[in-house]
Amino acid sequence: MLPNVLQPSATDHVPVLANEVRESLAVQPGETVVDATFGAGGHAALLAADLAGRGKLIAIDRDPTARTYFERFDKRASVQSRLLRGDFGVVLPQLAENDVQADAILLDLGVSSMQLDRPERGFSYSVDAPLDMRMDTSQGLSAVDVVNDWPERELVTIFRRYGEERYAKQIARAIVRRRKEMPFERTGDLVDTIRAALPAPARFGEGHPAKRVFQALRIAVNDELGSLEAALPAALAMLRPGGRLAVISFHSLEDRIVKQFLREKERGCTCPPDFPVCVCGHEPELRAIERRPIKPSAAEIDANPRSASARLRAAVKT
Ligand SMILES: C[S@@+](CC[C@H](N)C(=O)[O-])C[C@H]1O[C@@H](n2cnc3c(N)ncnc32)[C@H](O)[C@@H]1O
């Protein structure tokens, strides 16, 4: 097992699949590492330790509060590092266009514990707070705009597509009815409306009744799937031959995008099977490190229940 260096304090985000990420990225001294989801810098600290004082770490995060964590990281890290604040779906393509190259790139998707646990960010259905859910607090669109302004059919679509919510229609209808009387402002009002729209058995089913709608709103507000789709080809373009890409996803929609991207880039020839010779000339661009996604151990889930749904996929540029 790799030694853990610079572990964050108990109140910070606990980096998930930390050793598995380090093993997959196999960072060597002198390399350039991109942590595209810096958060509290938990993974970054471990990857910087692997650089052993030689190399560069580029951190990216769209949340302005990441700067405080980055400053703490930068003071302790013995490597050259800088923070680029922005959406990795925009920043990675910009880096690739400017011919910035990397040996290891990490995307640890979704929200951090610090975002989830700060009531004022409005990500949580368990505390009453303003309906916000923006990772980048300077962004215009927030959850309150989606809930109060989007047409009913669009709400149905996002609840179904991003939340896999069975009662999407009933919930969207109840939201539209309630907002005509009084616009939504707080998470608590939304939770009450969702609860009341569900048939009784669903209200007491597995998990919180608002969980799927909250997930859907968060994905829509932050255009999480769009950013991921834009980031993956840019990350591949930035990697040097032999460079490694690792992506941790927390729900099936993200994992499907990552899996399909890796499959497509692992495939060589794309000619129809009845062609006698290859005419497309496609070469595989990536080689998966493991065929199946890596999941957290029972011990990790015990210690950090939020890691339970994490899936790590990693590949090497050929
Ligand atoms: C799960 S946390 C990462 C935690 C980090 N690996 C650590 O160990 O502390 C995800 C972080 O990525 C950021 N993030 C999510 N999507 C992003 C995007 N499209 N662009 C930039 N940052 C993003 C979030 O703001 C959050 O800070």
Side-chain angles (χ1 to χ4, degrees):
M1 189 181 296
L2 298 161
N4 276 346
V5 209
L6 251 178
Q7 280 285 23
S9 73
T11 51
D12 287 344
H13 182 92
V14 182
V16 302
L17 292 165
N19 287 327
E20 293 82 350
V21 165
R22 280 175 92 186
E23 276 161 15
S24 303
L25 290 179
V27 169
Q28 302 300 313
E31 290 191 330
T32 300
V33 175
V34 178
D35 182 346
T37 48
F38 182 78
H43 285 111
L46 301 171
L47 300 173
D50 292 338
L51 287 171
R54 286 195 294 122
K56 264 192 238 158
L57 189 134
I58 302 172
I60 303 171
D61 205 296
R62 73 200 311 193
D63 188 331
T65 65
R67 175 147 309 275
T68 314
Y69 292 97
F70 178 77
E71 281 164 7
R72 185 189 66 171
F73 161 84
D74 195 34
K75 261 192 218 133
R76 296 192 204 167
S78 54
V79 294
Q80 209 186 317
S81 54
R82 64 184 168 137
L83 172 69
L84 304 173
R85 195 173 82 71
D87 175 356
F88 57 58
V90 174
V91 178
L92 288 174
Q94 284 171 346
L95 292 173
E97 270 163 35
N98 285 291
D99 297 322
V100 177
Q101 292 193 306
D103 302 287
I105 302 180
L106 171 65
L107 287 113
D108 174 17
L109 303 171
V111 279
S112 65
S113 300
M114 294 86 60
Q115 290 166 329
L116 276 176
D117 294 340
R118 283 222 175 107
E120 72 275 14
R121 304 295 300 265
F123 285 108
S124 173
Y125 41 75
S126 17
V127 261
D128 184 37
L131 254 177
D132 191 324
M133 301 195 195
R134 291 169 301 170
M135 291 191 207
D136 174 355
T137 44
S138 67
Q139 171 186 307
L141 183 78
S142 76
V144 83
D145 305 312
V146 175
V147 170
N148 285 324
D149 301 337
W150 283 21
E152 183 174 333
R153 62 168 194 289
E154 270 186 63
L155 294 178
V156 175
T157 305
I158 62 164
F159 296 162
R160 273 204 191 125
R161 192 174 294 160
Y162 301 157
E164 297 172 286
E165 172 56 67
R166 250 177 94 187
Y167 300 101
K169 256 189 168 171
Q170 290 87 328
I171 295 171
R173 196 179 308 136
I175 288 175
V176 171
R177 204 180 305 132
R178 140 90 211 224
R179 78 187 185 193
K180 276 187 195 146
E181 285 160 24
M182 206 196 321
F184 286 90
E185 282 178 16
R186 304 190 61 86
T187 53
D189 305 330
L190 181 61
V191 170
D192 292 345
T193 306
I194 296 168
R195 221 190 278 273
L198 293 174
R203 259 178 253 159
F204 306 104
E206 213 185 292
H208 193 285
K211 187 176 167 187
R212 287 175 295 277
V213 167
F214 270 60
Q215 172 179 302
L217 286 171
R218 201 198 82 197
I219 294 176
V221 166
N222 297 290
D223 186 21
E224 292 181 31
L225 305 183
S227 292
L228 179 60
E229 278 165 351
L232 292 172
L236 174 59
M238 282 180 72
L239 282 178
R240 294 195 175 96
R244 290 81 59 202
L245 171 67
V247 187
I248 302 174
S249 47
F250 288 85
H251 54 77
S252 56
L253 300 164
E254 289 168 343
D255 186 52
R256 199 172 309 143
I257 292 173
V258 179
K259 181 169 126 186
Q260 279 170 359
F261 176 79
L262 297 185
R263 288 258 160 92
E264 190 193 310
K265 299 299 172 188
E266 269 185 286
R267 217 172 344 127
C269 170
T270 56
C271 295
D274 56 340
F275 274 31
V277 286
C278 170
V279 292
C280 73
H282 278 141
E283 297 282 343
E285 292 178 76
L286 283 173
R287 179 176 49 77
I289 293 173
E290 297 269 352
R291 286 253 60 84
R292 300 194 159 275
I294 301 170
K295 299 180 186 175
S297 64
E300 177 168 2
I301 298 172
D302 263 359
N304 176 17
R306 279 182 182 163
S307 70
S309 54
R311 301 288 176 266
L312 168 67
R313 292 187 188 267
V316 181
K317 185 160 176 172
T318 52

